[in-house]
Coordinates of all heavy atoms in Angstrom, one line a residue:
D107 N 96.8 99.2 147.1 CA 95.7 100.4 147.0 C 94.6 99.8 146.2 O 93.8 99.0 146.7 CB 96.5 101.5 146.4 CG 95.6 102.8 146.3 OD1 95.0 103.1 147.3 OD2 95.7 103.5 145.3
T108 N 94.6 100.0 144.9 CA 93.5 99.5 144.1 C 93.7 98.0 143.8 O 92.6 97.4 143.6 CB 93.6 100.2 142.6 OG1 94.7 99.8 142.0 CG2 93.5 101.7 142.7
G109 N 94.8 97.5 144.0 CA 95.0 96.1 143.8 C 95.4 95.7 142.5 O 95.7 94.5 142.2
R110 N 95.5 96.7 141.5 CA 95.8 96.4 140.2 C 97.2 95.8 140.0 O 97.4 94.8 139.2 CB 95.6 97.6 139.3 CG 94.3 98.1 139.0 CD 94.3 99.2 138.0 NE 92.9 99.8 137.9 CZ 92.5 100.9 138.3 NH1 93.4 101.6 139.0 NH2 91.3 101.4 138.1
T111 N 98.1 96.4 140.7 CA 99.5 96.0 140.6 C 99.8 94.5 141.0 O 100.3 93.7 140.2 CB 100.6 96.9 141.4 OG1 100.4 98.2 141.1 CG2 101.9 96.4 141.3
L112 N 99.3 94.1 142.1 CA 99.4 92.8 142.7 C 98.5 91.7 141.9 O 99.0 90.5 141.8 CB 99.3 92.8 144.1 CG 100.5 93.4 144.9 CD1 100.3 93.3 146.4 CD2 101.8 92.8 144.5
T113 N 97.5 92.2 141.5 CA 96.6 91.2 140.7 C 97.3 90.9 139.4 O 97.5 89.7 139.1 CB 95.3 92.1 140.3 OG1 94.6 92.2 141.4 CG2 94.4 91.1 139.3
K114 N 97.9 91.9 138.8 CA 98.6 91.6 137.5 C 99.9 90.9 137.9 O 100.4 89.9 137.1 CB 99.0 92.9 136.9 CG 99.5 92.9 135.4 CD 99.6 94.2 134.7 CE 100.2 94.0 133.4 NZ 100.2 95.4 132.6
L115 N 100.7 91.2 138.9 CA 101.9 90.5 139.2 C 101.8 89.1 139.6 O 102.4 88.2 139.1 CB 102.6 91.2 140.2 CG 104.0 90.8 140.6 CD1 105.0 90.6 139.5 CD2 104.6 91.7 141.7
V116 N 100.7 88.9 140.4 CA 100.4 87.4 140.8 C 100.1 86.6 139.5 O 100.6 85.5 139.4 CB 99.4 87.3 141.9 CG1 98.8 86.0 142.1 CG2 99.8 88.0 143.2
D117 N 99.2 87.2 138.7 CA 99.0 86.4 137.5 C 100.1 86.0 136.7 O 100.3 85.0 136.1 CB 98.0 87.3 136.6 CG 96.6 87.2 137.1 OD1 96.2 86.4 137.9 OD2 95.6 88.0 136.5
A118 N 101.1 87.1 136.5 CA 102.2 86.8 135.7 C 103.1 85.7 136.4 O 103.7 84.8 135.6 CB 103.0 88.1 135.6
I119 N 103.3 85.8 137.6 CA 104.1 84.7 138.2 C 103.4 83.3 138.2 O 104.1 82.3 138.0 CB 104.4 85.2 139.7 CG1 105.3 86.3 139.6 CG2 105.1 84.0 140.5 CD1 105.4 87.1 141.0
Q120 N 102.2 83.3 138.3 CA 101.4 82.0 138.3 C 101.6 81.4 136.9 O 101.6 80.2 136.9 CB 99.9 82.1 138.7 CG 99.8 82.0 140.1 CD 98.4 82.3 140.7 OE1 97.7 83.1 139.9 NE2 98.1 82.1 141.9
G121 N 101.8 82.2 136.0 CA 102.1 81.7 134.6 C 103.4 81.0 134.5 O 103.7 80.3 133.4
Q122 N 104.3 81.1 135.5 CA 105.6 80.5 135.4 C 105.6 79.3 136.3 O 106.8 78.8 136.5 CB 106.6 81.5 136.0 CG 106.7 82.7 135.1 CD 108.0 83.6 135.4 OE1 108.9 83.1 135.9 NE2 107.9 84.9 135.2
A123 N 104.6 78.7 136.7 CA 104.5 77.4 137.4 C 105.3 77.5 138.7 O 106.2 76.6 138.9 CB 104.9 76.3 136.6
P124 N 105.1 78.4 139.5 CA 105.8 78.4 140.9 C 105.3 77.2 141.8 O 104.1 76.9 141.5 CB 105.6 79.7 141.4 CG 104.3 80.0 141.0 CD 104.2 79.4 139.6
A125 N 106.0 77.0 142.8 CA 105.4 76.0 143.8 C 104.4 76.6 144.6 O 103.2 76.1 144.9 CB 106.5 75.6 144.7
S126 N 104.4 78.0 144.9 CA 103.4 78.8 145.6 C 103.7 80.3 145.3 O 104.8 80.6 145.0 CB 103.4 78.5 147.0 OG 104.6 78.9 147.6
V127 N 102.6 81.1 145.5 CA 102.8 82.5 145.4 C 101.9 83.1 146.5 O 100.7 82.8 146.7 CB 102.2 83.2 144.1 CG1 102.6 84.6 144.1 CG2 102.7 82.5 142.8
R128 N 102.6 84.0 147.3 CA 101.9 84.6 148.3 C 102.3 86.1 148.4 O 103.3 86.4 147.7 CB 102.1 84.1 149.8 CG 101.3 82.8 150.0 CD 101.6 82.3 151.4 NE 101.0 81.0 151.6 CZ 101.4 80.2 152.6 NH1 102.3 80.5 153.6 NH2 101.0 79.0 152.7
T129 N 101.7 87.1 149.0 CA 102.0 88.5 149.0 C 102.0 89.0 150.4 O 101.3 88.5 151.4 CB 100.9 89.2 148.3 OG1 99.6 88.9 148.9 CG2 101.0 88.9 146.8
C130 N 103.0 89.8 150.7 CA 103.3 90.3 152.0 C 103.3 91.9 151.8 O 104.3 92.5 151.1 CB 104.6 89.9 152.6 SG 104.9 90.6 154.2

Side-chain angles (χ1 to χ4, degrees):
D107 184 46
T108 66
R110 289 189 183 104
T111 301
L112 287 180
T113 297
K114 189 169 179 178
L115 182 54
V116 169
D117 278 356
I119 292 167
Q120 269 166 347
Q122 298 190 28
S126 67
V127 187
R128 288 185 189 157
T129 53
C130 177

